[in-house]
């Protein structure tokens, strides 16, 4: 099974985690909501799959390009 | 009466307040988080006090940290700027209790205008029309449907406890009302409060607001209106004064409403009364409704300053020191036309995604005749995710609207940044769009222009 890394598009803090490991997700589903510069930025699933791992916690600071979720499928 | 001023803010507004303090011979004290130790606003003030780590909750939103800084620095007055603690009644009260003059209205006035429901009650008392709606206790589907019909479709159903666009449904017709109500109720329940309110949906809307100044001796004046319809993500990007299509009679009527609302809460200081106007036809008084009052200085206050020739921060300080406003309403007619654009670190091509990072190089035009630049960052600074994305406000003033729009667009053409993305080129194109040139603005115009550009790119 292929593993897909989903990363943050910009430096941000993790505001809300919407996906939990094992959950089935469809392309376009919101996995995580980041907050940067007073804006909420959803991180969406690039394709259908299953959430293998959530690599961040709410309140964490992430860097641009940092992997936040691993998907399988 | 005037004493050293602690500026409880950061960025361009802190720099701008420090400049007025200096002109008036007042000592100013900046506050800074660890992310801002070398920021422009720290240099702009006469002294600076550290207030905590980068997250706003631990610094710019921390009332104890800011009051400590005021005590250490010997400040006598506190200017809250906009955002952060500027509309926090507890902060206003804490300043007063600490013997500091809070530059703004009383805590009671902030509370009376805090929240849309409270403000609507004030409007009712003052006899000012708010957006037609129903916010009563009878929540039966029959009553709600009857109220929606009385308001007239389309309507918006909103969770009383909702926010951020959640718990909101639009109903276009009586036939779709029941389904929309069920959806809104489901989402409202998630907020722990199943109640909803119903409001008239202004499908094509303009955002028009009136600046007021009130002294502590009963004089309340209005400084005309601003149109702030050009927005993205419900945030203003371009503001102008006067508003296109407003004649002196309509200006006087909106001014009258704003003054009545300010008087209803014994308002003192600078404030802004916001209205929604139906943009489906020419502006008319009976299709403009009160939304809320901002009990502070607004980001876009410079356009009013340019057409009135007044320094609003100076008058905030003078009012806080107990001075009387020395003007009459007739002295305050606007001269010429002013337009402001908010230069932000964001990428319009990617749905206005924020663009934090280090600014390797920043080029802004020189201020001059009819061109004002209120900047908060410079080359070499790092824009962190903790604070908003505004780099500078670029404001143009000219005899006519067309000249002001072109002066601002030309100034934006000369803005450039390396290391981050900025919205200057997009804003210049928006200012030169046929819709903007014609004054045919509404709150969805910027989004339409962005979609049109995206479509053109995908074809090309």
């Amino acid at each position: 099974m292929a593993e897909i890394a989903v990363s943050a598009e910009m430096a941000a803090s993790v505001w809300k985690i919407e996906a939990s490991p094992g959950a089935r997700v469809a392309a376009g589903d919101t996995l995580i909501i980041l907050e940067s510069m007073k804006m909420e930025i959803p991180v969406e699933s690039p394709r259908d799959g299953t959430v293998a791992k959530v690599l961040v916690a709410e309140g964490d600071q992430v860097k641009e390009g940092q992997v936040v979720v691993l998907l399988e499928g | 009466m005037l004493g050293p001023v602690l500026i409880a803010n950061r960025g361009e507004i802190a720099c701008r307040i420090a400049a007025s303090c200096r002109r008036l011979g007042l000592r100013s004290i900046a506050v800074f988080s660890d992310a801002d130790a070398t920021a422009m606003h720290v240099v702009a003030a006469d002294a600076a006090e550290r207030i905590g780590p980068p997250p706003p909750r631990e610094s710019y939103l921390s009332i104890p940290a800011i009051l400590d800084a005021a005590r250490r620095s010997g400040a006598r007055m506190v200017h809250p700027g906009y955002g952060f603690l500027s509309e926090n009644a507890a902060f206003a009260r804490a300043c007063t209790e600490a013997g500091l003059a809070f530059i703004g209205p009383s805590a009671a006035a902030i509370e009376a205008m805090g929240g849309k429901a409270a403000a609507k009650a004030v409007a009712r008392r003052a006899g000012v029309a708010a957006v037609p709606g129903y916010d009563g206790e009878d929540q039966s589907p029959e009553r709600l449907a009857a109220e929606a019909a009385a308001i007239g479709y389309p309507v918006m159903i909103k969770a009383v406890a909702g926010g951020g666009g959640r718990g909101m449904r639009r109903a276009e017709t009586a036939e779709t009302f029941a389904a929309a109500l069920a959806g809104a109720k489901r989402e409202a329940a998630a907020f722990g409060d199943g109640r909803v309110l119903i409001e008239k949906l202004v499908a094509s809307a303009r955002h028009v607001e009136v600046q007021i100044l009130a002294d502590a001796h009963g004089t309340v004046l209005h400084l005309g209106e601003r149109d702030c319809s050009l927005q993205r993500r419900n945030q203003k990007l371009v503001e102008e004064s006067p508003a296109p299509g407003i004649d002196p009679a309509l200006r006087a009527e909106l001014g009258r409403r704003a003054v009545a609302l300010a008087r209803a809460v014994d308002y003192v200081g600078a404030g802004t009364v916001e209205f929604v106007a139906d943009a489906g036809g020419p502006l008319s008084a009976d299709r403009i409704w009160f939304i809320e009052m901002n009990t502070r200085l607004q980001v876009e206050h410079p356009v009013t300053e340019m057409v009135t020739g007044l320094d609003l921060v100076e008058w905030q300080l003078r009012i806080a020191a107990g001075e009387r406003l020395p003007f009459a309403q007739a002295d305050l007619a606007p001269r010429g036309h002013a337009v402001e654009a908010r230069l932000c670190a964001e990428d319009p091509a990617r749905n206005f995604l924020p663009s934090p990072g280090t600014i390797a190089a920043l080029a802004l035009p020189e201020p001059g005749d009819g061109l004002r630049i209120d900047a908060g960052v410079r080359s070499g600074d790092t824009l962190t995710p903790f604070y908003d994305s505004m780099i500078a406000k670029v404001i143009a003033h000219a005899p006519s609207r067309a000249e002001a729009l072109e002066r601002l667009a030309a100034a934006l053409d000369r803005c450039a940044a390396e290391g981050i993305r900025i919205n200057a080129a997009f804003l210049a194109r928006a200012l030169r769009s046929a819709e903007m040139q014609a004054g045919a603005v509404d709150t969805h115009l910027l989004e339409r222009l962005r979609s049109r550009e995206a479509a053109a790119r995908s074809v090309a």
Side-chain angles (χ1 to χ4, degrees):
Chain A
M1 252 194 311
E3 201 156 79
I4 302 132
V6 185
S7 49
E9 287 184 277
M10 81 220 69
S13 61
V14 177
W15 184 63
K16 234 177 161 182
I17 296 188
E18 303 265 287
S20 40
R24 294 282 310 160
V25 292
D29 281 359
T30 298
L31 302 174
I32 283 181
I33 302 173
L34 300 175
E35 188 188 1
S36 186
M37 301 183 129
K38 288 174 71 187
M39 281 191 225
E40 287 175 24
I41 321 289
V43 176
E44 293 173 353
S45 180
R47 51 179 285 184
D48 297 356
T50 304
V51 177
K53 254 188 188 149
V54 177
L55 301 166
V56 290
E58 288 178 7
D60 282 2
Q61 300 298 317
V62 296
K63 294 190 171 72
E64 181 179 346
Q66 182 176 333
V67 177
V68 291
V69 172
L70 293 175
L71 293 178
E72 277 170 358
Chain B
M1 280 292 273
L2 290 167
V5 181
L6 182 100
I7 304 168
N9 215 298
R10 63 179 303 283
E12 67 85 20
I13 193 62
C15 296
R16 184 255 169 278
I17 294 165
S20 283
C21 288
R22 177 151 305 162
R23 202 170 54 71
L24 296 170
L26 278 171
R27 190 160 174 271
S28 62
I29 301 111
V31 296
F32 64 91
S33 74
D34 293 333
D36 281 341
T38 61
M40 227 169 123
H41 76 275
V42 170
V43 181
D46 297 316
E49 297 282 345
R50 177 188 177 270
I51 48 167
R57 256 193 315 270
E58 298 168 50
S59 48
Y60 298 103
L61 286 172
S62 166
I63 295 176
I66 287 172
L67 291 182
D68 264 354
R71 225 177 339 260
R72 285 199 303 274
S73 65
R76 300 281 307 279
M77 308 175 93
V78 175
H79 197 307
Y82 53 69
F84 295 123
L85 292 169
S86 61
E87 293 184 280
N88 185 312
F91 181 57
R93 200 168 280 125
C95 286
T96 309
E97 282 165 5
L100 298 159
F102 175 77
I103 299 169
S106 66
I110 297 173
E111 271 159 1
M113 284 298 185
K116 294 188 185 198
K120 271 193 159 180
V122 173
R124 233 167 267 152
R125 265 198 291 133
V128 171
V131 178
Y134 172 74
D135 55 3
E137 285 303 316
D138 184 351
Q139 292 278 312
S140 67
E142 299 74 30
R143 175 67 185 272
L144 293 170
E147 294 289 345
I151 294 161
Y153 286 98
V155 298
M156 205 70 173
I157 309 167
K158 296 182 181 175
V160 168
R166 274 165 296 175
M168 268 169 52
R169 284 283 195 288
R170 53 190 286 177
E172 303 290 337
T173 61
E175 288 67 45
T176 56
F177 181 80
L181 177 62
K185 285 250 180 207
R186 243 190 337 268
E187 285 178 28
F191 294 104
D193 181 348
R195 288 178 304 152
V196 296
L197 56 85
I198 298 170
E199 264 181 9
K200 177 177 187 61
L201 176 71
V202 185
S204 173
R206 277 173 64 175
H207 177 109
V208 178
E209 60 185 31
V210 175
Q211 176 71 52
I212 63 122
L213 270 185
D215 67 21
H217 308 280
T219 298
V220 187
L221 299 170
H222 75 83
L223 276 60
E225 80 288 347
R226 297 182 285 260
D227 188 297
C228 312
S229 299
L230 267 58
Q231 311 181 350
R232 56 103 176 86
R233 297 173 185 260
N234 292 319
Q235 235 183 347
K236 302 161 186 170
L237 277 185
V238 176
E239 306 98 344
E240 60 181 307
S241 184
I246 287 209
D247 60 21
L250 187 49
R251 175 168 308 119
E253 167 58 15
L254 294 185
R256 184 195 66 75
R257 294 182 195 179
V259 168
L261 286 160
R263 285 195 186 285
V265 294
D266 294 322
Y267 199 87
V268 173
T272 296
V273 176
E274 297 194 331
F275 298 93
V276 60
D278 188 344
L283 292 182
S284 80
D286 60 346
R287 302 193 63 73
I288 299 178
W289 301 279
F290 167 68
I291 325 172
E292 62 178 330
M293 182 169 189
N294 290 317
T295 56
R296 55 170 167 87
L297 192 67
Q298 304 261 113
V299 176
E300 59 272 23
H301 74 277
V303 292
T304 299
E305 295 187 321
M306 291 191 95
V307 296
T308 59
L310 298 178
D311 176 337
L312 290 184
V313 171
E314 174 184 346
W315 284 104
Q316 286 187 296
L317 292 163
R318 291 190 184 281
I319 288 166
E323 286 192 33
R324 285 172 189 275
L325 289 171
F327 337 100
Q329 191 60 61
D331 303 334
L332 297 171
R335 285 183 300 274
H337 199 98
V339 197
E340 169 183 287
R342 301 188 191 185
L343 186 67
C344 296
E346 62 182 26
D347 188 353
R350 292 165 76 200
N351 201 15
F352 303 105
L353 205 63
S355 179
T358 297
I359 312 174
L362 177 67
L364 298 175
E366 279 299 307
D369 245 5
L371 186 66
R372 170 173 163 180
I373 314 282
D374 284 17
V377 294
R378 64 282 229 206
S379 293
D381 285 354
T382 295
L383 300 174
T384 75
F386 296 110
Y387 312 121
D388 71 30
S389 62
M390 199 159 70
I391 294 167
K393 301 185 304 207
V394 184
I395 313 113
H397 184 218
S400 71
R401 182 171 186 269
E403 291 165 284
L405 290 179
E406 183 46 38
R407 181 167 292 172
L408 180 57
L412 289 166
D413 289 342
R414 303 200 294 279
C415 296
E418 283 171 36
I420 53 160
R421 295 188 183 278
I422 60 172
N423 59 356
F426 173 75
L427 291 175
R429 290 194 298 274
L431 292 169
R432 290 177 174 127
S433 69
E435 292 92 334
M436 187 63 183
Q437 299 276 321
V441 295
D442 66 67
T443 53
H444 297 299
L445 176 58
L446 275 190
E447 186 48 42
R448 284 199 302 278
L449 294 176
R450 193 192 68 83
S451 310
R452 198 193 293 165
E453 291 189 353
R457 264 196 312 275
S458 66
V459 169

